[in-house]
Structure formats: structure tokens, C-alpha cells
Amino acid sequence: MNKKVSELLNAQVNKEFYSAYLYLGISKFFTQQDLPVFAAWYKVQAEEEQEHAMKIYAYLLDQDEDVSLDAIAEVKAEFKTILDAVQEADKHEHYITDEIVKIMDAAVADKDYRTQLMLNWFISEQQEEETNSKEMVAKVKMLGNDAKNLYLLDKELAERK
Ligand SMILES: [Fe+2]
Ligand SMILES: [Fe+2]
């Protein structure tokens, strides 16, 4: 595998674990706000991010590439408002999309079709992630900080499978 592609994929393993950590921080915030279903939603997100990391991890090992298990950066997760928390997640998903595109660009430049095939999954996953996080921001904006509305939204989120 091309050195740059390998380095970017290794960095992405770390970024996906960081994403899991960030979502855990957001989940913690919602638990502390007494919104358990919001908390559960972001905890599921955190689990999904670990799966993303493991997908790339497994791919690298399949290709006989090493995986560097670098330190995962600290997450502060101190949000002023509920809107702040959901906006942080939305901003982060856009950042991750940009990072995936950068790896894809490197794989295309190197004519690395296998990596492109693997990354295709991430390209469509990021579309889904952005749609979800955008909807969450829109809902929280509509409902504001009204306790009753947030309670109802919390119940609606409980229907997530
Ligand atoms: Fe991810
Ligand atoms: Fe994500």
C-alpha cells in the first residue's frame, strides 16, 4: 500500500475512536441533563464510531499494513446548551466527511482500487451521519429549551432501533 494512503487510514482509525469518545462525552452531558434517551442515542453513536474504527483497522491488517494505536485525544464535553451539544456533533461529522474525502483523493491518485472500494462504504455512511446530525440540530432549534418539548423529543428518539 502507498505510504500516504496507509498513514491516512491509520490516522482515520484514531479519528473514528476519537469520534466515539466525543459521542460518549455528549451522551454523558445528556445523562447529566436528565435526558436519558438523548443520552442513549449518542451512546449508540459512540458504538457505531468504534465499529467504523474497527472496519479500517481490519482492512489495514488484511492488507498486511501495521496499525499504530496512537493516543486518543481528550474530550472536554462541557456544553452550555443542548443545542451546543448537538451542533458539536454536526460540525464533527462534516469534519470527518472531509477527512474521508482526503483519503479517497489519495487512493484515487495512487490507483488504489481496493481502498477506494472500502472507502465507498464510508462515503455513503457519512451522508447518513450528516443527515441525522442535521435533523437533530433542526429539531432542537425548533423545540428550543422548552422542557416539555425536549421531553417529547426524548421520547421520539426512544423509537430508534
Ligand atoms: Fe465514523
Ligand atoms: Fe460519525
Side-chain angles (χ1 to χ4, degrees):
M1 188 184 289
N2 171 281
K3 192 165 174 280
K4 190 183 171 196
V5 174
S6 174
E7 279 172 6
L8 288 171
L9 286 172
N10 263 286
Q12 194 61 33
V13 171
N14 191 273
K15 282 168 191 166
E16 297 294 342
F17 276 125
Y18 176 80
S19 302
Y21 221 32
L22 176 66
Y23 281 126
L24 194 59
I26 295 173
S27 180
K28 180 189 74 168
F29 168 77
F30 281 121
T31 299
Q32 290 165 340
Q33 299 292 312
D34 296 313
L35 289 166
V37 188
F38 267 98
W41 169 278
Y42 283 101
K43 200 160 152 258
V44 171
Q45 279 297 130
E47 284 160 13
E48 280 190 16
E49 298 301 348
Q50 290 176 66
E51 286 169 19
H52 297 170
M54 292 310 291
K55 249 183 215 285
I56 303 171
Y57 167 92
Y59 176 73
L60 281 164
L61 292 181
D62 274 349
Q63 306 303 313
D64 292 325
E65 288 292 319
D66 195 18
V67 183
S68 55
L69 297 169
D70 302 326
I72 302 164
E74 179 187 9
V75 167
K76 288 260 193 280
E78 289 160 359
F79 306 107
K80 285 194 193 75
T81 63
I82 289 159
L83 185 60
D84 273 352
V86 297
Q87 275 177 333
E88 182 67 27
D90 187 51
K91 199 176 85 188
H92 185 72
E93 286 302 338
H94 282 89
Y95 160 73
I96 291 294
T97 299
D98 290 346
E99 296 307 291
I100 297 289
V101 168
K102 276 182 207 163
I103 311 171
M104 185 62 108
D105 285 343
V108 168
D110 188 52
K111 293 191 164 64
D112 178 347
Y113 300 113
R114 253 186 213 172
T115 299
Q116 289 174 47
L117 201 60
M118 190 276 293
L119 287 174
N120 279 340
W121 184 88
F122 281 89
I123 297 281
S124 42
E125 174 67 12
Q126 280 313 114
Q127 176 64 72
E128 214 176 282
E129 296 273 69
E130 283 184 23
T131 302
N132 287 341
S133 62
K134 185 177 78 181
E135 272 179 19
M136 190 67 104
V137 170
K139 280 176 183 167
V140 171
K141 271 188 180 163
M142 270 188 284
L143 299 175
N145 278 324
D146 182 83
K148 190 174 155 225
N149 283 342
L150 284 168
Y151 173 76
L152 292 173
L153 179 56
D154 197 58
K155 285 192 96 149
E156 184 197 311
L157 292 181
E159 280 149 36
R160 180 181 191 176
K161 298 285 178 304

